[in-house]
Amino acid sequence: MSTRLLELQELSMYFGGIHAVDSVNLHIEENEVIALIGPNGAGKTTVFNCTTGMYTPTTGKVMISSPNVRKQEDIADCRPDVIAKKGLARTFQNIRLFLEMTTLENVMVAYHIHLKSTIWDVLFGGSKVRKEESHMVKKAYEYMGMVGIAKYAHELSKNLPYGVQRKLEIARALATKPFLLLLDEPAAGMNPKETEELRNIIISLRKQVSIFLIEHDMSLVMTLADRVYVMDHGKMIAHGRPEEIKQNPEVIRAYLGGDYA
Amino acid sequence: MNRNSIHTAIFTAIWFALITFIIVGVQVNTIDGSMQWHPGRAVFIAIVSFLLSLLWQRVFTVQDIDLTEAKNARNTFWIGYFTHGKNIFRKIRTVGIEAKKKHKTVLLLIISIPLLFLPLLGLYQTKVITSVLVFMLLALSLNVVVGLGGMLNLGVASFFAVGAYTYALLNYHYHVGFLIGFIAAALVSLITGVLVALPVIRLKGDYLAIVTLAFGEIVRIVLENWSSFTFGPSGISNVVRPKFFGMTLNLQHVTGYIYYIAFIVVVLAMFFINRLEHSHYGRSWEAIREDGLASQAMGVDLAKTKMLIFAIGALLAGVAGVVLAISTGYINPKSFTFWQSIIPLCIIVLGGMGTMSGVLLGAIILVWLPEYLRVFSDYRFLVFGIILVVMMIFRPDGLIRKTRKEYQ
């Protein structure tokens, strides 16, 4: 039986009177690619923010169970860094890289949670730290290789082309070794060629990590996702396999207006 | 050794002798207003800089060695130093990191050897350089907090004061000696740093600046008004000077001794900060500066990391305070005004945020030079202002631009 890596139970997030997310239920199983779609302002990113600890949900539970532990726990009140250590990693809709640092360093920062050396090792130690560092650099190159940006290793990330920055966000998230990767509109602003590359990256990644995807590019969603959730005005209005979602009158109404349904 | 390098060396020698002549060649006796000339010193400097220049050229002008060759055989490389000659910078690039490291070491040696003999230049010079070193420490502290951590700290003088007063008061009230006093002062300022960090880590940008600024003022005002303990505005005089293995030194020697202490403290501070900066600690600090939320999402514990940054900054500033206390032998709250928070900030802005060599250069320009340009002292702030404005226009990143380490 496959485990539910992530399960949102009656998740709600209110900002004053605005119900950004309203009693949302959602689950992701092992080795799945799940897409969350919906019109602008539907509350998709808020779901992400609640899941990764940026917001503390008003009510509801965020249950995770990592494939290693296989025991559900509620992370609704955890800080983002704690959640990252538990194995959920995310990217951001509006790219948030460490701009004055190199590509390699960006990835290394994310890998830090696996390092063991303490401040005393760093101040007075020798080979142990060096070994750990060089191992980390090697791993970082691997992660950059996975998304095909290793040749930019020593460039400042602020100088990278837009598409590469997006890929770097993915590489950085991967470096935390997550069991669930949350991608917030990874294809936003990309040209068709870059989107195609992204599709291949995601296909190659899904062998190792489950993916939770927010995306507006429907061709990407329909070809990649095993199941699709649709949100509108903070509510989950539909969920099912991609071909079912395409036919769903509720979804068409949400996107195109009542007359087309 | 070819003719070119000798020409360069002679030119360097004359140049150095000339520009240092006003500093070492002329001594003004302030009591009877007479001037003493020391042409011998200029000749000495000329000879030393001639030799150093030759050495420098030897070290830096090695013919382009193949990258792999240089990497594979260190021995070939060292021989290369003494058998080849030509373009410095191209070579540094081609030979790569190994070579860069060695160049840096040699460069540091060349710079630090004269500093080792500095007390021979006399009491005044030694004191001036000691105060430069104190400000270097303060700037190093800010370099960590502002340059790497990205938290604008306008109250570094408060930690400076905590260090100095802890040392002086422990000594006055409890007759604590130098070494224990030094450690205690460092610890107390570290703890103060953590305590200040507790409320401060929740704040960002301007708000953080205002709170630290306020803390700086609070410390100064407490020191001024708590007369029974801190002796208020009259301060504490006769702060105990360190003994040299149990011997009490005379003024001349103790000044030199304190200079060496300050020198060693700065070198150690630089060494450890450098280690931290290029470890996962330093990278997390920079990640926080660049994007707090993103770094948190990547597993950086914001509160803990910011606390550590503040603690290290406070520790360095506290140590600077101890050095100030022993070098002047007298402290009062006027030594720890807002201005003492601003100068180190100017130093790192001028030198280049987050760069170690920038700190050194900035401290030399903003603390050392004004000592020798006393003639213009009325215009000092004007000149500071102009320098900073010009800087912001032409080199907003500071004199020394940060180069990223290339991890291999």
Side-chain angles (χ1 to χ4, degrees):
Chain A
M1 189 201 115
S2 59
T3 36
R4 292 191 163 181
L5 299 182
L6 173 72
E7 189 170 0
L8 306 181
Q9 297 172 351
E10 296 296 322
L11 186 79
S12 297
M13 180 79 218
Y14 303 153
F15 296 106
I18 298 166
H19 294 193
V21 175
D22 203 356
S23 311
V24 161
N25 288 296
L26 176 153
H27 69 268
I28 297 171
E29 287 173 14
E30 217 171 328
N31 303 322
E32 263 192 321
V33 175
I34 295 296
L36 178 61
I37 63 170
N40 288 330
K44 303 180 296 292
T45 301
T46 311
V47 169
F48 261 35
N49 285 341
C50 290
T51 312
T52 52
M54 311 274 150
Y55 297 150
T56 307
T58 317
T59 58
K61 285 181 175 168
V62 181
M63 308 298 288
I64 60 160
S65 81
S66 98
N68 309 325
V69 184
R70 291 185 182 275
K71 192 173 147 241
Q72 280 209 317
E73 59 175 325
D74 188 4
I75 55 162
D77 297 325
C78 287
R79 286 198 315 265
D81 51 298
V82 177
I83 293 176
K85 280 172 196 145
K86 286 186 191 296
L88 262 64
R90 69 169 294 177
T91 67
F92 293 90
Q93 185 179 0
N94 44 344
I95 304 175
R96 302 187 76 136
L97 293 170
F98 310 128
L99 294 175
E100 294 288 341
M101 300 168 81
T102 64
T103 307
L104 179 61
E105 284 172 316
N106 267 273
V107 180
M108 282 159 85
V109 168
Y111 194 83
H112 285 171
I113 52 177
H114 308 299
L115 298 185
K116 302 244 159 22
S117 48
T118 62
I119 194 159
W120 307 114
D121 294 331
V122 170
L123 288 178
F124 304 106
S127 62
K128 185 185 166 194
V129 181
R130 247 177 287 138
K131 247 183 232 161
E132 214 176 44
E133 286 265 314
S134 64
H135 178 70
M136 167 166 63
V137 172
K138 217 162 67 196
K139 294 297 280 184
Y141 270 99
E142 271 174 38
Y143 291 117
M144 289 189 289
M146 283 185 193
V147 296
I149 56 169
K151 65 172 172 176
Y152 298 102
H154 300 306
E155 298 258 352
L156 285 189
S157 63
K158 67 172 177 186
N159 297 335
L160 297 174
Y162 184 82
V164 179
Q165 289 190 335
R166 283 242 171 255
K167 288 177 194 162
L168 173 54
E169 278 239 322
I170 298 175
R172 189 177 65 175
L174 281 175
T176 65
K177 295 190 196 160
F179 64 83
L180 179 64
L181 183 62
L182 296 94
L183 303 175
D184 197 346
E185 296 198 24
M190 281 187 164
N191 61 33
K193 185 173 158 272
E194 288 169 331
T195 310
E196 198 47 46
E197 287 169 8
L198 181 73
R199 185 200 313 276
N200 293 330
I201 288 170
I202 294 178
I203 289 171
S204 69
L205 288 181
R206 65 174 300 169
K207 288 170 204 147
Q208 330 164 17
V209 58
S210 308
I211 293 170
F212 184 10
L213 180 78
I214 293 178
E215 190 45 73
H216 280 301
D217 187 320
M218 282 308 145
S219 75
L220 204 64
V221 170
M222 293 304 161
T223 50
L224 285 174
D226 299 315
R227 287 184 295 125
V228 179
Y229 286 88
V230 190
M231 278 183 83
D232 190 29
H233 295 296
K235 290 198 168 63
M236 199 63 88
I237 57 168
H239 129 249
R241 290 204 308 283
E243 46 283 16
E244 295 166 8
I245 291 298
K246 271 189 213 166
Q247 313 298 332
N248 191 316
E250 281 283 321
V251 177
I252 297 169
R253 185 176 297 125
Y255 271 92
L256 301 173
D259 300 340
Y260 294 90
Chain B
M1 195 175 301
N2 56 22
R3 235 156 117 202
N4 249 343
S5 63
I6 292 177
H7 277 185
T8 322
I10 291 172
F11 182 72
T12 318
I14 294 171
W15 180 236
F16 265 85
L18 281 180
I19 56 172
T20 52
F21 190 71
I22 41 164
I23 300 166
V24 295
V26 192
Q27 208 167 37
V28 182
N29 190 332
T30 39
I31 297 162
D32 56 12
S34 68
M35 286 226 263
Q36 287 160 314
W37 299 86
H38 299 278
R41 288 180 178 177
V43 174
F44 174 71
I45 283 182
I47 293 170
V48 170
S49 44
F50 177 77
L51 292 176
L52 282 180
S53 167
L54 281 184
L55 177 68
W56 174 287
Q57 291 180 61
R58 268 288 139 128
V59 170
F60 279 91
T61 56
V62 184
Q63 230 162 36
D64 296 4
I65 302 172
D66 191 36
L67 180 65
T68 46
E69 188 195 340
K71 270 189 178 167
N72 291 343
R74 282 177 189 219
N75 297 334
T76 338
F77 181 57
W78 274 106
I79 295 163
Y81 268 163
F82 299 100
T83 49
H84 305 287
K86 241 172 220 153
N87 196 324
I88 313 168
F89 292 104
R90 227 172 95 210
K91 206 224 123 218
I92 295 180
R93 290 237 168 95
T94 43
V95 178
I97 285 163
E98 284 272 312
K100 259 192 213 163
K101 263 191 197 154
K102 273 176 191 151
H103 278 134
K104 257 194 189 157
T105 327
V106 175
L107 194 64
L108 277 178
L109 278 179
I110 292 177
I111 293 173
S112 47
I113 287 168
L115 285 173
L116 286 180
F117 297 103
L118 190 117
L120 298 179
L121 287 179
L123 218 57
Y124 176 65
Q125 316 291 349
T126 317
K127 284 224 160 194
V128 169
I129 299 289
T130 309
S131 78
V132 173
L133 289 171
V134 168
F135 275 96
M136 273 182 192
L137 271 176
L138 284 177
L140 282 172
S141 152
L142 274 188
N143 197 38
V144 169
V145 180
V146 186
L148 297 176
M151 296 186 282
L152 184 52
N153 177 1
L154 293 181
V156 73
S158 56
F159 303 117
F160 191 33
V162 167
Y165 265 89
T166 308
Y167 178 78
L169 288 173
L170 274 180
N171 174 249
Y172 187 91
H173 290 293
Y174 306 105
H175 307 288
V176 173
F178 169 70
L179 201 61
I180 297 171
F182 185 96
I183 294 168
L187 281 180
V188 169
S189 35
L190 184 113
I191 293 165
T192 320
V194 173
L195 290 180
V196 175
L198 281 175
V200 155
I201 51 176
R202 287 162 226 280
L203 306 170
K204 268 183 198 160
D206 311 348
Y207 306 102
L208 191 144
I210 290 168
V211 170
T212 50
L213 183 125
F215 180 69
E217 287 304 291
I218 290 169
V219 168
R220 191 177 57 81
I221 289 166
V222 167
L223 292 177
E224 256 172 18
N225 292 287
W226 193 3
S227 306
S228 57
F229 191 64
T230 65
F231 307 104
S234 54
I236 304 166
S237 51
N238 286 326
V239 177
V240 72
R241 298 227 151 101
K243 285 179 180 161
F244 187 70
F245 295 110
M247 286 185 292
T248 313
L249 302 169
N250 66 24
L251 184 65
Q252 176 105 34
H253 289 154
V254 87
T255 311
Y257 185 43
I258 289 167
Y259 162 77
Y260 285 124
I261 291 175
F263 186 72
I264 290 167
V265 167
V266 169
V267 170
L268 282 181
M270 285 174 64
F271 173 76
F272 285 127
I273 293 174
N274 192 44
R275 280 207 147 183
L276 281 174
E277 191 185 335
H278 296 116
S279 74
H280 55 282
Y281 284 95
R283 276 190 303 272
S284 319
W285 300 348
E286 290 193 271
I288 284 180
R289 176 195 68 200
E290 293 301 312
D291 193 325
L293 190 69
S295 61
Q296 213 179 3
M298 296 305 134
V300 178
D301 187 335
L302 269 192
K304 227 165 131 188
T305 313
K306 284 188 175 178
M307 201 100 89
L308 179 68
I309 296 174
F310 244 85
I312 291 174
L315 173 78
L316 287 170
V319 169
V322 177
V323 177
L324 177 91
I326 56 174
S327 78
T328 55
Y330 167 74
I331 51 168
N332 72 351
K334 280 274 174 292
S335 326
F336 309 103
T337 55
F338 182 53
W339 187 239
Q340 265 67 33
S341 296
I342 290 303
I343 290 183
L345 202 62
C346 291
I347 289 175
I348 61 167
V349 169
L350 181 75
M353 286 258 194
T355 59
M356 204 83 82
S357 35
V359 168
L360 305 185
L361 189 65
I364 287 168
I365 293 176
L366 290 186
V367 185
W368 189 67
L369 272 189
E371 281 303 323
Y372 295 105
L373 301 174
R374 289 238 168 234
V375 195
F376 308 111
S377 63
D378 288 349
Y379 308 101
R380 187 188 285 188
F381 296 144
L382 185 70
V383 174
F384 268 29
I386 294 171
I387 288 178
L388 286 178
V389 169
V390 171
M391 282 279 310
M392 284 303 113
I393 297 171
F394 293 104
R395 285 206 83 131
D397 293 340
L399 291 175
I400 293 174
R401 220 161 267 168
K402 182 150 189 161
T403 49
R404 310 289 325 176
K405 186 178 173 185
E406 291 193 358
Y407 298 89
Q408 295 294 324

